[in-house]
Amino acid sequence: VLNHTANDTPWLDEHPDAGYTTLNSPHLQAALALDDAVLAMSAEVAEGKHAPYATSRMDTVAAVDAVVDLVRESLRTDARWRLWEFYVCDVGREAAAIERAAAGGKLLRGVRGDVPVREVTQAQVDELARALTREAVFNDGSGGRFAVRVRHGKALAVLARFLVDRGIL
């Protein structure tokens, strides 16, 4: 497969399976979203939508720096792009699934309600987060948004171990 060829190359018409798409290479979805965002911002700059901070006239270092700053800030904060979604889990989906898994098991039976939350330190919470990340969090390989998932049973086991070790369960 050629890594670099023009999108209008006759060779690709004859061998469409040789091209990269988000269907045959789903890991490229984030790259496509980034390309789309940069293309849209480029058009906005050319149309003058970000003047006077960024203009289509790129004749000074300051002008280039302004566009770079615009792209950097827009990719980080502009709700249209939401690129961060490629690197996180859907918290609501995963929390609901863990709650369902916990309700079906024995984990929550016997939790002592008299143990104050203040007995769990920030360092312990950080330790729990590291253990959950290491043992129960994975990328589902879809390449899409919210592709980070949680192995619910494993997460419950890690949580149970945490609670037992601290005398909460």
Side-chain angles (χ1 to χ4, degrees), residues 127-141:
E127 176 188 339
L128 175 60
R130 283 190 300 276
L132 286 167
T133 300
R134 184 178 57 252
E135 298 180 38
V137 176
F138 68 102
N139 188 301
D140 70 11

Side-chain angles (χ1 to χ4, degrees), residues 2-152:
L2 291 179
N3 248 354
H4 302 283
T5 189
N7 63 354
D8 60 352
T9 299
W11 181 85
L12 280 179
D13 288 335
E14 297 164 14
H15 304 280
D17 56 315
Y20 291 107
T21 70
T22 55
L23 295 177
N24 66 19
S25 301
H27 63 281
L28 295 177
Q29 290 180 57
L32 179 61
L34 175 62
D35 282 352
D36 289 346
V38 170
L39 184 62
M41 283 185 285
S42 296
E44 291 171 4
V45 167
E47 294 166 6
K49 291 185 178 178
H50 297 284
Y53 306 106
T55 65
S56 60
R57 187 174 174 127
M58 306 294 289
D59 57 354
T60 67
V61 170
V64 173
D65 288 345
V67 171
V68 168
D69 289 343
L70 169 71
V71 170
R72 184 178 292 124
E73 185 66 15
S74 293
L75 289 176
R76 193 174 61 77
T77 62
D78 192 323
R80 293 178 293 173
W81 315 130
R82 303 178 339 268
L83 297 177
W84 56 271
E85 291 177 354
F86 288 99
Y87 306 98
V88 299
C89 69
D90 179 332
V91 173
R93 175 189 68 199
E94 299 301 327
I98 289 171
E99 286 176 9
R100 285 191 304 275
K106 298 178 183 176
L107 175 68
L108 298 180
R109 292 184 200 141
V111 173
R112 290 181 32 215
D114 62 335
V115 178
V117 174
R118 67 180 169 355
E119 289 185 17
V120 178
T121 66
Q122 184 62 50
Q124 291 170 324
V125 171
D126 293 345
E127 176 188 339
L128 175 60
R130 283 190 300 276
L132 286 167
T133 300
R134 184 178 57 252
E135 298 180 38
V137 176
F138 68 102
N139 188 301
D140 70 11
S142 70
R145 296 176 189 274
F146 303 110
V148 174
R149 303 298 301 263
V150 177
R151 290 182 179 86
H152 308 121

